[in-house]
Amino acid sequence: MSSKRKPGGVLESEAKKAALAHPPPPSTPVAATPSAPPPPTPEPRRPTAAQWAKLDARGRQTIERKFWLYRSRTWAGFEGIWKAARVLGAGTHGVAALFNKIGKADEYPEKIVVKQSGKPDPDLLSESHYMTRIKEAGKSNHFPDIYKTYYEESGTGTHKTRDPKFPVVQYIDGTLGIDPDKQVSRIMIEYCPGGNLWSYQEKHWSTSVPAENVLWTILACLARALVTLELGTDDPDDPPAMWDPPIAHLDMKPDNIFISVPDGQPHHNYAFYKLGDLGMAIGIHHDPSERR
């Protein structure tokens, strides 16, 4: 059977051979059109004065927390990096919440806890100081890690004592600024997914007794934490180069013992207990004349 001729007298088979020998240049890929960023989530609806008056304390607290979590995106360095997940606890002047990492921040883990006080807080400053001392000594993992030390910033106005917002003030020289004595204060620390020991025992041990090996694990973790406060390390044979003065915690209770994930040795497959909340801690000077 004779080959069909292409226009111009070229045989079809020869045309195929030529096409294989000289393939056309690859086409330039068309750049994908970047998708528009999702619209920002609107702020929660504010209740009217009449609606607010009808709410009980729990209802008001829920709304205040929702607004505080939403407005956290306006904090310096948080937008596009951190997203508030939920409030973990709150008191008269302070609040703690879980944040998930949504942007690039390689120096931080995927989850952190932000502790905020509604004022420049010496207790939060003290906690930051002692957590940093323990971290820099690098000899114990029986305390929550600290990722950002004490800092102050203007609040957002979601609560009178936990998150106050003060207007810009005008100084005598006519310049404008924020009154430095009317800031909120914060630290960023490790998230322990098991919560605190008080909440855990209320949920799991209210009608039963924990296994003996669990009790020994808790005791061993706390003993190591206390040795660290005294010596700067949980291994007396491996002291840090400098550790003075020793630290007294002064607020040990189940609420301040946090449960982390199992880490292998020396805890094997048991939960890992960390001593936290050093807001009442003090340095203990051995010379009685130097004690405060």
Side-chain angles (χ1 to χ4, degrees):
M1 183 180 293
S2 60
S3 299
K4 294 182 180 179
R5 288 186 172 274
K6 303 280 285 180
V10 181
L11 294 176
E12 184 179 12
S13 59
E14 293 174 354
K16 289 182 179 180
K17 290 179 181 178
L20 293 173
H22 303 284
S27 59
T28 303
V30 179
T33 304
S35 58
T41 305
E43 186 169 84
R45 178 186 295 181
R46 293 170 176 270
T48 64
Q51 291 171 335
W52 183 261
K54 293 179 181 179
L55 292 171
D56 59 11
R58 187 177 184 86
R60 293 182 180 186
Q61 181 186 74
T62 299
I63 291 176
E64 289 166 348
R65 291 182 176 188
K66 192 177 296 185
F67 271 86
W68 181 74
L69 292 172
Y70 177 85
R71 292 182 182 178
S72 65
R73 68 188 64 195
T74 66
W75 301 350
F78 268 65
E79 186 173 6
I81 304 295
W82 297 105
K83 183 176 181 180
R86 68 180 188 274
V87 171
L88 301 174
T92 303
H93 292 280
V95 59
L98 170 65
F99 283 75
N100 294 322
K101 185 166 66 174
I102 58 172
K104 186 172 178 58
D106 295 338
E107 68 273 27
Y108 293 98
E110 295 302 311
K111 297 177 183 291
I112 61 165
V113 171
V114 174
K115 293 183 71 173
Q116 174 177 303
S117 176
K119 58 183 180 179
D121 193 335
D123 288 342
L124 195 63
L125 177 61
S126 177
E127 180 172 11
S128 174
H129 168 71
Y130 288 117
M131 291 182 75
T132 302
R133 276 191 65 195
I134 293 167
K135 179 176 183 174
E136 290 178 346
K139 300 292 185 177
S140 177
N141 54 4
H142 287 88
F143 297 85
D145 201 353
I146 183 167
Y147 304 116
K148 186 169 183 177
T149 57
Y150 180 93
Y151 71 101
E152 296 175 2
E153 185 180 356
S154 178
T156 63
T158 61
H159 191 272
K160 290 181 179 179
T161 58
R162 290 193 291 268
D163 187 40
K165 182 178 181 179
F166 296 92
V168 173
V169 296
Q170 184 171 19
Y171 296 106
I172 296 175
D173 63 1
T175 59
L176 301 178
I178 298 293
D179 188 337
D181 294 328
K182 295 180 178 178
Q183 305 282 286
V184 301
S185 51
R186 300 189 190 104
I187 60 174
M188 296 164 61
I189 62 175
E190 178 184 355
Y191 170 61
C192 294
N196 65 59
L197 187 58
W198 173 260
S199 298
Y200 188 88
Q201 67 93 18
E202 284 283 291
K203 182 177 180 180
H204 298 281
W205 299 335
S206 59
T207 58
S208 62
V209 178
E212 182 179 352
N213 51 14
V214 173
L215 295 176
W216 278 113
T217 300
I218 297 172
L219 181 62
C221 288
L222 295 181
R224 288 175 178 270
L226 294 177
V227 170
T228 300
L229 295 178
E230 172 67 22
L231 303 177
T233 175
D234 59 17
D235 180 1
D237 295 327
D238 183 27
M242 176 67 69
W243 187 258
D244 186 63
I247 303 169
H249 189 283
L250 300 184
D251 197 23
M252 282 190 64
K253 56 186 178 182
D255 309 64
N256 294 336
I257 298 167
F258 298 94
I259 307 172
S260 189
V261 294
D263 73 331
Q265 297 293 339
H267 301 86
H268 305 288
N269 294 321
Y270 301 117
F272 190 5
Y273 299 86
K274 300 190 175 190
L275 181 58
D277 201 342
L278 280 76
M280 295 182 65
I282 60 172
I284 300 296
H285 297 267
H286 291 293
D287 183 348
S289 65
E290 296 180 356
R291 294 191 180 187
R292 293 179 293 174

